[in-house]
Protein backbone atom coordinates (compact mmCIF):
# COMPACT_ATOMS: atom_id res chain seq x y z
CA UNK A 1 0.00 0.00 0.00
CA UNK A 2 2.83 2.37 0.91
CA UNK A 3 4.59 1.54 -2.35
CA UNK A 4 1.41 2.29 -4.29
CA UNK A 5 1.03 5.67 -2.59
CA UNK A 6 4.69 6.42 -3.22
CA UNK A 7 4.30 5.52 -6.91
CA UNK A 8 1.22 7.76 -7.26
CA UNK A 9 3.04 10.64 -5.56
CA UNK A 10 6.03 10.29 -7.88
CA UNK A 11 3.76 10.09 -10.92
CA UNK A 12 1.87 13.21 -9.90
CA UNK A 13 5.13 15.05 -9.33
CA UNK A 14 6.34 14.05 -12.78
CA UNK A 15 3.11 15.27 -14.37
CA UNK A 16 3.38 18.59 -12.53
CA UNK A 17 6.99 19.05 -13.63
CA UNK A 18 6.08 18.20 -17.22
CA UNK A 19 3.22 20.70 -17.13
CA UNK A 20 5.51 23.38 -15.76
CA UNK A 21 7.98 22.68 -18.57
CA UNK A 22 5.31 23.06 -21.25
CA UNK A 23 4.07 26.27 -19.59
CA UNK A 24 7.57 27.72 -19.61
CA UNK A 25 8.02 26.75 -23.26
CA UNK A 26 4.73 28.42 -24.18
CA UNK A 27 5.67 31.57 -22.31
CA UNK A 28 9.04 31.75 -24.05
CA UNK A 29 7.63 31.12 -27.53
CA UNK A 30 7.68 34.45 -29.35
CA UNK A 31 4.63 35.58 -31.32
CA UNK A 32 5.48 36.14 -34.98
CA UNK A 33 5.59 39.87 -35.76
CA UNK A 34 4.14 40.68 -39.16
CA UNK A 35 6.36 42.42 -41.66
CA UNK A 36 5.40 45.85 -42.97
CA UNK A 37 4.38 44.24 -46.27
CA UNK A 38 2.13 41.76 -44.46
CA UNK A 39 0.53 44.55 -42.45
CA UNK A 40 -0.13 46.56 -45.63
CA UNK A 41 -1.67 43.51 -47.30
CA UNK A 42 -3.85 42.87 -44.25
CA UNK A 43 -5.18 46.45 -44.32
CA UNK A 44 -6.64 45.75 -47.76
CA UNK A 45 -8.87 43.01 -46.35
CA UNK A 46 -12.43 43.79 -45.28
CA UNK A 47 -15.39 45.86 -46.39
CA UNK A 48 -14.32 48.76 -48.56
CA UNK A 49 -16.09 52.06 -47.97
CA UNK A 50 -16.00 54.57 -50.82
CA UNK A 51 -15.75 57.59 -48.56
CA UNK A 52 -16.76 61.02 -49.84
CA UNK A 53 -18.25 64.26 -48.60
CA UNK A 54 -22.01 64.14 -49.31
CA UNK A 55 -23.50 66.72 -51.64
CA UNK A 56 -25.33 69.53 -49.90
CA UNK A 57 -22.98 69.68 -46.93
CA UNK A 58 -21.42 73.13 -46.47
CA UNK A 59 -17.90 73.39 -47.96
CA UNK A 60 -18.30 70.06 -49.74
CA UNK A 61 -16.44 71.53 -52.71
CA UNK A 62 -13.50 72.51 -50.50
CA UNK A 63 -12.97 69.13 -48.82
CA UNK A 64 -11.42 66.14 -50.55
CA UNK A 65 -11.00 62.52 -49.53
CA UNK A 66 -7.79 60.87 -50.67
CA UNK A 67 -6.35 57.38 -50.53
CA UNK A 68 -3.49 56.76 -48.11
CA UNK A 69 -0.38 55.81 -50.08
CA UNK A 70 2.36 56.20 -47.47
CA UNK A 71 3.32 52.60 -46.66
CA UNK A 72 4.70 53.53 -43.25
CA UNK A 73 1.35 55.03 -42.24
CA UNK A 74 -0.57 52.09 -43.69
CA UNK A 75 1.57 49.70 -41.63
CA UNK A 76 1.00 51.81 -38.52
CA UNK A 77 -2.74 51.77 -39.32
CA UNK A 78 -2.59 47.98 -38.99
CA UNK A 79 -1.12 48.38 -35.51
CA UNK A 80 -3.91 50.80 -34.65
CA UNK A 81 -6.55 48.42 -35.98
CA UNK A 82 -5.17 45.75 -33.64
CA UNK A 83 -5.25 48.23 -30.77
CA UNK A 84 -8.86 49.16 -31.50
CA UNK A 85 -9.92 45.53 -31.89
CA UNK A 86 -8.18 44.29 -28.75
CA UNK A 87 -7.98 47.25 -26.36
CA UNK A 88 -10.54 49.90 -27.28
CA UNK A 89 -13.32 47.35 -27.71
CA UNK A 90 -12.55 45.97 -24.25
CA UNK A 91 -12.87 49.46 -22.80
CA UNK A 92 -16.16 50.01 -24.62
CA UNK A 93 -17.33 46.66 -23.27
CA UNK A 94 -17.36 48.19 -19.79
CA UNK A 95 -20.03 50.63 -20.96
CA UNK A 96 -22.29 47.97 -22.49
CA UNK A 97 -25.46 47.12 -20.58
CA UNK A 98 -25.00 43.70 -18.89
CA UNK A 99 -28.39 42.49 -20.09
CA UNK A 100 -27.30 42.86 -23.72
CA UNK A 101 -24.87 39.95 -23.23
CA UNK A 102 -22.81 41.07 -26.23
CA UNK A 103 -19.09 41.03 -26.92
CA UNK A 104 -17.98 44.22 -28.68
CA UNK A 105 -16.22 43.46 -31.97
CA UNK A 106 -14.98 45.30 -35.06
CA UNK A 107 -16.89 44.33 -38.21
CA UNK A 108 -15.19 46.49 -40.83
CA UNK A 109 -12.56 49.18 -41.18
CA UNK A 110 -11.21 51.70 -43.65
CA UNK A 111 -8.41 54.28 -43.79
CA UNK A 112 -8.41 57.51 -45.82
CA UNK A 113 -7.20 61.07 -45.73
CA UNK A 114 -9.36 64.16 -45.19
CA UNK A 115 -7.93 67.24 -46.87
CA UNK A 116 -9.15 70.80 -46.58
CA UNK A 117 -10.27 70.75 -42.94
CA UNK A 118 -8.07 72.04 -40.12
CA UNK A 119 -10.34 71.13 -37.21
CA UNK A 120 -13.94 70.57 -36.16
CA UNK A 121 -16.63 68.33 -37.63
CA UNK A 122 -16.56 66.56 -40.97
CA UNK A 123 -19.57 64.66 -42.30
CA UNK A 124 -18.75 61.72 -44.55
CA UNK A 125 -20.79 59.43 -46.76
CA UNK A 126 -19.40 55.91 -46.53
CA UNK A 127 -21.18 54.63 -49.64
CA UNK A 128 -23.73 51.93 -50.37
CA UNK A 129 -21.82 49.33 -48.33
CA UNK A 130 -22.44 51.35 -45.17
CA UNK A 131 -26.24 51.43 -45.51
CA UNK A 132 -26.36 47.89 -44.15
CA UNK A 133 -24.70 49.18 -41.01
CA UNK A 134 -27.41 51.71 -40.15
CA UNK A 135 -27.32 52.48 -36.42
CA UNK A 136 -23.93 50.87 -35.86
CA UNK A 137 -21.36 52.77 -33.85
CA UNK A 138 -17.86 53.54 -35.08
CA UNK A 139 -14.47 54.07 -33.48
CA UNK A 140 -12.86 57.01 -35.29
CA UNK A 141 -9.07 57.33 -35.10
CA UNK A 142 -6.65 59.82 -36.59
CA UNK A 143 -2.89 59.76 -37.00
CA UNK A 144 -1.17 62.61 -35.20
CA UNK A 145 1.78 63.48 -37.44
CA UNK A 146 3.46 65.38 -34.59
CA UNK A 147 3.47 62.55 -32.05
CA UNK A 148 3.35 59.85 -34.75
CA UNK A 149 0.64 58.08 -32.78
CA UNK A 150 -2.98 57.18 -33.49
CA UNK A 151 -5.63 58.85 -31.33
CA UNK A 152 -9.30 57.94 -30.85
CA UNK A 153 -12.24 60.31 -30.92
CA UNK A 154 -13.98 60.73 -27.54
CA UNK A 155 -17.45 59.98 -28.92
CA UNK A 156 -18.54 57.04 -31.07
CA UNK A 157 -19.96 58.23 -34.43
CA UNK A 158 -23.25 56.64 -35.45
CA UNK A 159 -23.95 55.53 -39.03
CA UNK A 160 -27.25 57.04 -40.15
CA UNK A 161 -29.82 55.70 -42.60
CA UNK A 162 -27.88 57.17 -45.54
CA UNK A 163 -24.60 55.56 -44.53
CA UNK A 164 -23.16 58.84 -43.22
CA UNK A 165 -21.16 59.66 -40.09
CA UNK A 166 -19.79 62.83 -38.52
CA UNK A 167 -16.29 62.83 -37.06
CA UNK A 168 -14.75 65.57 -34.94
CA UNK A 169 -11.02 66.18 -34.36
CA UNK A 170 -8.89 69.12 -33.27
CA UNK A 171 -6.52 68.38 -36.13
CA UNK A 172 -6.85 66.20 -39.21
CA UNK A 173 -4.46 63.59 -40.48
CA UNK A 174 -5.05 60.11 -41.91
CA UNK A 175 -8.33 58.76 -40.56
CA UNK A 176 -9.36 55.22 -39.66
CA UNK A 177 -12.93 54.13 -39.04
CA UNK A 178 -13.67 50.84 -37.29
CA UNK A 179 -17.32 49.80 -37.47
CA UNK A 180 -18.57 48.01 -34.36
CA UNK A 181 -21.27 45.37 -33.94
CA UNK A 182 -23.25 47.48 -31.43
CA UNK A 183 -25.65 50.42 -31.59
CA UNK A 184 -26.49 53.18 -29.12
CA UNK A 185 -29.09 51.08 -27.33
CA UNK A 186 -26.32 48.79 -26.09
CA UNK A 187 -24.60 51.57 -24.12
CA UNK A 188 -25.24 52.51 -20.50
CA UNK A 189 -26.57 56.04 -20.13
CA UNK A 190 -24.03 56.73 -17.37
CA UNK A 191 -21.10 55.02 -19.09
CA UNK A 192 -17.86 56.49 -20.40
CA UNK A 193 -18.94 56.46 -24.04
CA UNK A 194 -21.47 58.67 -25.79
CA UNK A 195 -22.59 58.95 -29.41
CA UNK A 196 -21.77 61.48 -32.12
CA UNK A 197 -24.92 61.90 -34.23
CA UNK A 198 -24.60 62.67 -37.93
CA UNK A 199 -25.17 66.29 -38.88
CA UNK A 200 -25.51 67.83 -42.33
CA UNK A 201 -24.31 71.19 -40.98
CA UNK A 202 -20.87 70.35 -39.55
CA UNK A 203 -19.05 73.10 -37.67
CA UNK A 204 -15.50 73.21 -38.95
CA UNK A 205 -12.41 75.28 -39.64
CA UNK A 206 -11.03 74.93 -43.15
CA UNK A 207 -7.37 75.01 -44.10
CA UNK A 208 -6.13 77.54 -46.64
CA UNK A 209 -6.52 76.65 -50.29
CA UNK A 210 -2.74 76.66 -50.63
CA UNK A 211 -2.25 74.15 -47.78
CA UNK A 212 -1.35 70.63 -48.80
CA UNK A 213 -1.39 67.44 -46.77
CA UNK A 214 2.12 66.46 -45.58
CA UNK A 215 1.11 62.86 -44.90
CA UNK A 216 0.28 62.34 -48.57
CA UNK A 217 3.89 63.15 -49.55
CA UNK A 218 3.01 66.51 -51.07
Amino acid sequence: MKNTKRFIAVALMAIMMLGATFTAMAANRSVKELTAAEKIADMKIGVYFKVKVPAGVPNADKITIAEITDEKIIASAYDNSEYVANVVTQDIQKSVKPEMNTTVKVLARQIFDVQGVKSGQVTLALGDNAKGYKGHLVVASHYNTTTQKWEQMDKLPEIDENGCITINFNSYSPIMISVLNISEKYLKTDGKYSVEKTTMTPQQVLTGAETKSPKMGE
Side-chain angles (χ1 to χ4, degrees), residues 34-113:
L34 296 184
T35 65
E38 290 171 330
K39 291 179 180 180
I40 292 168
D42 187 89
M43 285 305 300
K44 296 180 181 180
I45 299 173
V47 176
Y48 178 75
F49 297 111
K50 294 185 177 180
V51 182
K52 64 180 182 179
V53 179
V57 172
N59 302 314
D61 60 330
K62 298 180 176 65
I63 304 170
T64 56
I65 307 300
E67 179 184 356
I68 302 296
T69 56
D70 187 313
E71 293 190 347
K72 181 179 178 181
I73 293 179
I74 296 174
S76 73
Y78 170 86
D79 295 332
N80 183 65
S81 71
E82 289 291 288
Y83 177 77
V84 170
N86 297 303
V87 178
V88 177
T89 54
Q90 291 300 309
D91 193 45
I92 296 173
Q93 187 75 50
K94 299 173 185 176
S95 293
V96 172
K97 298 174 182 176
E99 62 269 24
M100 289 300 184
N101 193 29
T102 300
T103 301
V104 181
K105 298 178 181 179
V106 174
L107 300 179
R109 66 191 179 187
Q110 177 68 352
I111 58 172
F112 51 90
D113 190 65

Side-chain angles (χ1 to χ4, degrees), residues 12 29 57-58 74 82 84 105-106 108 137 142 147 159 162 206 215:
L12 289 174
R29 185 182 299 137
V57 172
I74 296 174
E82 289 291 288
V84 170
K105 298 178 181 179
V106 174
L137 300 180
H142 89 110
T147 62
I159 300 176
N162 297 313
L206 300 179
K215 55 274 180 188

Side-chain angles (χ1 to χ4, degrees), residues 5-210:
K5 289 182 178 180
R6 185 178 295 108
F7 174 78
I8 294 174
V10 171
L12 289 174
M13 182 63 71
I15 292 172
M16 290 174 64
M17 292 177 64
L18 185 62
T21 301
F22 282 133
T23 300
M25 290 175 62
N28 293 327
R29 185 182 299 137
S30 60
V31 177
K32 180 180 179 293
E33 173 69 17
L34 296 184
T35 65
E38 290 171 330
K39 291 179 180 180
I40 292 168
D42 187 89
M43 285 305 300
K44 296 180 181 180
I45 299 173
V47 176
Y48 178 75
F49 297 111
K50 294 185 177 180
V51 182
K52 64 180 182 179
V53 179
V57 172
N59 302 314
D61 60 330
K62 298 180 176 65
I63 304 170
T64 56
I65 307 300
E67 179 184 356
I68 302 296
T69 56
D70 187 313
E71 293 190 347
K72 181 179 178 181
I73 293 179
I74 296 174
S76 73
Y78 170 86
D79 295 332
N80 183 65
S81 71
E82 289 291 288
Y83 177 77
V84 170
N86 297 303
V87 178
V88 177
T89 54
Q90 291 300 309
D91 193 45
I92 296 173
Q93 187 75 50
K94 299 173 185 176
S95 293
V96 172
K97 298 174 182 176
E99 62 269 24
M100 289 300 184
N101 193 29
T102 300
T103 301
V104 181
K105 298 178 181 179
V106 174
L107 300 179
R109 66 191 179 187
Q110 177 68 352
I111 58 172
F112 51 90
D113 190 65
V114 177
Q115 300 179 351
V117 180
K118 183 177 181 180
S119 62
Q121 297 174 314
V122 175
T123 296
L124 304 168
L126 304 183
D128 291 338
N129 283 338
K131 292 181 180 179
Y133 293 97
K134 174 186 174 183
H136 283 251
L137 300 180
V138 174
V139 175
S141 311
H142 89 110
Y143 184 74
N144 187 320
T145 54
T146 300
T147 62
Q148 296 187 337
K149 293 181 179 180
W150 286 87
E151 301 169 350
Q152 277 71 47
M153 191 172 137
D154 292 337
K155 293 184 177 181
L156 302 176
E158 179 185 63
I159 300 176
D160 71 4
E161 65 275 9
N162 297 313
C164 295
I165 61 172
T166 295
I167 58 178
N168 192 343
F169 287 108
N170 291 328
S171 64
Y172 275 87
S173 297
I175 299 294
M176 169 181 282
I177 56 172
S178 303
V179 181
L180 303 176
N181 62 328
I182 61 171
S183 60
E184 184 177 16
K185 69 180 182 180
Y186 285 75
L187 298 178
K188 301 174 184 176
T189 56
D190 59 348
K192 173 182 176 181
Y193 290 89
S194 58
V195 176
E196 180 84 13
K197 298 290 185 178
T198 302
T199 176
M200 289 298 131
T201 55
Q203 303 300 304
Q204 58 197 205
V205 177
L206 300 179
T207 57
E210 74 285 352

